[in-house]
Amino acid sequence: MDRWKGRVALVTGASVGIGAAIAKSLVQHGMKVVGCARNVEQIEKLAAECVSSGFSGTLIPYKCDLSVEDDMLSMFSWIKVQHQGVDVCINNAGLALPEPLLSGKTSGWRTMMDVNVIALSVCTREAYQSMKEQNIDDGHIININSMSGHRVVNNAGIHFYTASKYAVTALTEGLRQELREAKTHIRATCISPGLVETEFAYRLLSKNQEKAAATYKSIKCLQAADIANAVVYVLSAPPHVQVSIMHHWRNYCAINVCSHFINVLNMNGIFW
């Protein structure tokens, strides 16, 4: 991670859960991290914790509503003025609402698309343009996806969410191909965790908090720090290696195991 010290990373959805863990880890490794969310107060608390812990990097809170394009464009303009631009973009923000295909509200579907797909795409575009303006050829765009982006489970409440995560899988591969066509060494990675113990289930099942708690008690879940470690692993890969897809989950049979299934390519796009 030495080559990233002092460089700028944007982490969306950095106020809680996976985003907060990623932001904290990158600050610990010496990066300047712009952490954005609507609830900026929680990021401010995390920034103070990073200072008191003596981390070598800096966490810069930024209030941004990722469902509003003007907010995102203003954020990238501010980063350009204050920090020249971004070197790393981590599209972490995402949400699930219990809106089935046969009875769900259109407004809920639209909210999931706005945050999980459109915001991710806008931040990706703006991050790439920022890197290009700075002549950065070793930047990295990391999409925090989900195992729901690779298989459909029999749960009507998350089918539309699953569709949005399948979109992230396609967008990441499309991005990798476009970056290759552009003859740049900027890398794109998709990290797809299984069940991570965060506030996610409590928000999804806001009307049944007991069920949400039971979800996390039913198995030994991944922790947000596990995903932050995966991000550090990806960023630590040598410049000629691209980690394209990382599946990160626990398998519960006779024993608990944590597995990474990784598609690794060289920068010419050839699978190992």
Side-chain angles (χ1 to χ4, degrees):
M1 288 291 289
D2 285 348
R3 71 188 181 92
W4 295 113
K5 287 182 178 178
R7 298 179 71 178
V8 180
L10 170 66
V11 180
T12 67
S15 59
V16 293
I18 294 172
I22 292 171
K24 181 178 179 180
S25 181
L26 296 185
V27 171
Q28 192 170 5
H29 282 89
M31 296 194 75
K32 295 178 184 176
V33 179
V34 177
C36 78
R38 288 182 298 180
N39 188 350
V40 75
E41 290 79 11
Q42 288 180 277
I43 306 177
E44 289 170 347
K45 291 179 182 178
L46 181 60
E49 290 175 16
C50 290
V51 171
S52 62
S53 297
F55 294 160
S56 57
T58 308
L59 177 56
I60 304 135
Y62 190 95
K63 187 177 181 65
C64 181
D65 185 342
L66 291 169
S67 66
V68 179
E69 183 173 6
D70 285 347
D71 269 23
M72 291 182 278
L73 298 180
S74 294
M75 175 175 65
F76 276 93
S77 295
W78 180 85
I79 294 172
K80 179 179 179 179
V81 170
Q82 297 295 324
H83 305 285
Q84 287 72 58
V86 299
D87 301 277
V88 173
C89 177
I90 299 176
N91 289 308
N92 164 75
L95 78 163
L97 299 172
E99 304 291 356
L101 300 180
L102 299 183
S103 59
K105 298 183 185 68
T106 305
S107 59
W109 297 341
R110 186 170 290 115
T111 296
M112 284 185 273
M113 291 300 291
D114 283 345
V115 176
N116 298 358
V117 179
I118 302 300
L120 177 144
S121 299
V122 171
C123 288
T124 295
R125 180 191 68 204
E126 296 304 312
Y128 170 72
Q129 294 298 331
S130 175
M131 295 173 195
K132 189 177 177 181
E133 287 177 9
Q134 299 174 85
N135 294 315
I136 289 172
D137 196 46
D138 66 341
H140 210 133
I141 298 169
I142 300 175
N143 293 332
I144 306 301
N145 196 356
S146 167
M147 283 305 298
S148 291
H150 304 275
R151 48 92 173 106
V152 182
V153 298
N154 186 18
N155 182 339
I158 63 169
H159 283 159
F160 196 93
Y161 166 77
T162 297
S164 74
K165 288 302 182 177
Y166 263 80
V168 173
T169 302
L171 288 167
T172 308
E173 175 57 18
L175 172 62
R176 187 190 68 79
Q177 293 181 16
E178 290 191 28
L179 290 171
R180 185 183 175 196
E181 290 278 331
K183 301 187 185 304
T184 175
H185 293 94
I186 295 169
R187 294 182 285 186
T189 298
C190 174
I191 297 177
S192 298
L195 186 61
V196 185
E197 189 173 2
T198 64
E199 77 299 332
F200 184 87
Y202 292 101
R203 292 181 176 179
L204 174 63
L205 302 170
S206 59
K207 296 180 180 179
N208 191 340
Q209 294 292 284
E210 290 184 2
K211 184 176 180 180
T215 299
Y216 293 133
K217 290 177 181 177
S218 63
I219 59 173
K220 184 172 176 58
C221 301
L222 292 164
Q223 300 300 310
D226 295 322
I227 314 310
N229 290 339
V231 169
V232 170
Y233 173 83
V234 167
L235 288 174
S236 300
H240 67 285
V241 174
Q242 171 158 298
V243 181
S244 177
I245 303 172
M246 178 181 287
H247 296 175
H248 195 168
W249 75 93
R250 290 188 185 267
N251 183 27
Y252 299 92
C253 296
I255 58 173
N256 294 331
V257 298
C258 179
S259 302
H260 294 274
F261 282 77
I262 308 171
N263 287 345
V264 182
L265 304 86
N266 66 19
M267 288 306 292
N268 291 321
I270 307 301
F271 281 98
W272 289 5

